[in-house]
């Protein structure tokens, strides 16, 4: 995700981002949850890909960093729940980006 954001390869960024989330959904071992999230979230990622503008690079780099921190926490196995909650608490950044994406002009 970081490399894709650095090179403004937004398609690859969102492909890696959705695969990260799909992996977490599978790890939950809750097929119903995974199915619901697949139905709801995948179209949202497609929409973001269509609407992402070149000036969102910094936002995407920040997103990649937050995903990396979460992955490291999962790998270490320490305070995973706390990191997940903190990640959800920081979702204001996501909604801020979503608002700009919804309100801004389409990607060129």
């Amino acid at each position: 995700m970081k490399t894709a954001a650095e090179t403004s390869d937004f398609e690859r960024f969102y492909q890696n981002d959705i695969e990260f989330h799909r992996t977490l959904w599978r790890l939950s071992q809750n097929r119903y949850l995974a199915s619901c999230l697949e139905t709801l979230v995948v179209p949202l990622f497609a929409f973001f890909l269509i609407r992402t503008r070149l000036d969102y690079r910094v936002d995407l780099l920040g997103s990649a960093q937050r995903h990396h921190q979460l992955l490291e926490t999962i790998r270490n196995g320490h305070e995973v729940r706390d990191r997940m909650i903190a990640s959800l608490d920081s979702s204001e950044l996501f909604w801020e980006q979503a608002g700009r994406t919804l309100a801004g002009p389409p990607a060129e």
Side-chain angles (χ1 to χ4, degrees):
M1 288 174 65
K2 180 181 177 193
T3 301
E6 288 172 340
T7 60
S8 298
D9 186 346
F10 301 132
E11 182 176 350
R12 189 171 56 145
F13 176 89
Y14 284 114
Q15 285 173 343
N16 289 324
D17 194 357
I18 192 66
E19 190 54 39
F20 178 90
H21 289 274
R22 283 176 169 153
T23 300
L24 291 179
W25 303 340
R26 282 191 301 271
L27 291 172
S28 77
Q29 297 181 353
N30 182 332
R31 289 186 299 189
Y32 177 75
L33 174 66
S35 176
C36 287
L37 290 170
E38 187 76 24
T39 300
L40 294 171
V41 176
V42 172
L44 183 62
F45 274 77
F47 177 77
F48 276 9
L49 175 59
I50 292 167
R51 298 285 297 204
T52 296
R53 297 177 7 196
L54 291 176
D55 59 341
Y56 290 175
R57 182 175 172 269
V58 171
D59 292 335
L60 298 182
L61 284 168
S63 177
Q65 178 61 29
R66 288 186 301 279
H67 283 76
H68 178 76
Q69 290 169 344
L70 180 57
L71 179 60
E72 287 302 310
T73 301
I74 292 169
R75 283 182 178 153
N76 294 333
H78 300 314
E79 302 175 4
V80 174
R81 182 181 177 92
D82 291 340
R83 171 59 71 180
M84 290 294 286
I85 290 169
S87 177
L88 293 173
D89 286 343
S90 71
S91 64
E92 287 179 29
L93 297 169
F94 167 80
W95 290 114
E96 182 180 318
Q97 179 189 357
R100 283 196 312 274
T101 301
L102 289 169
E108 295 181 20

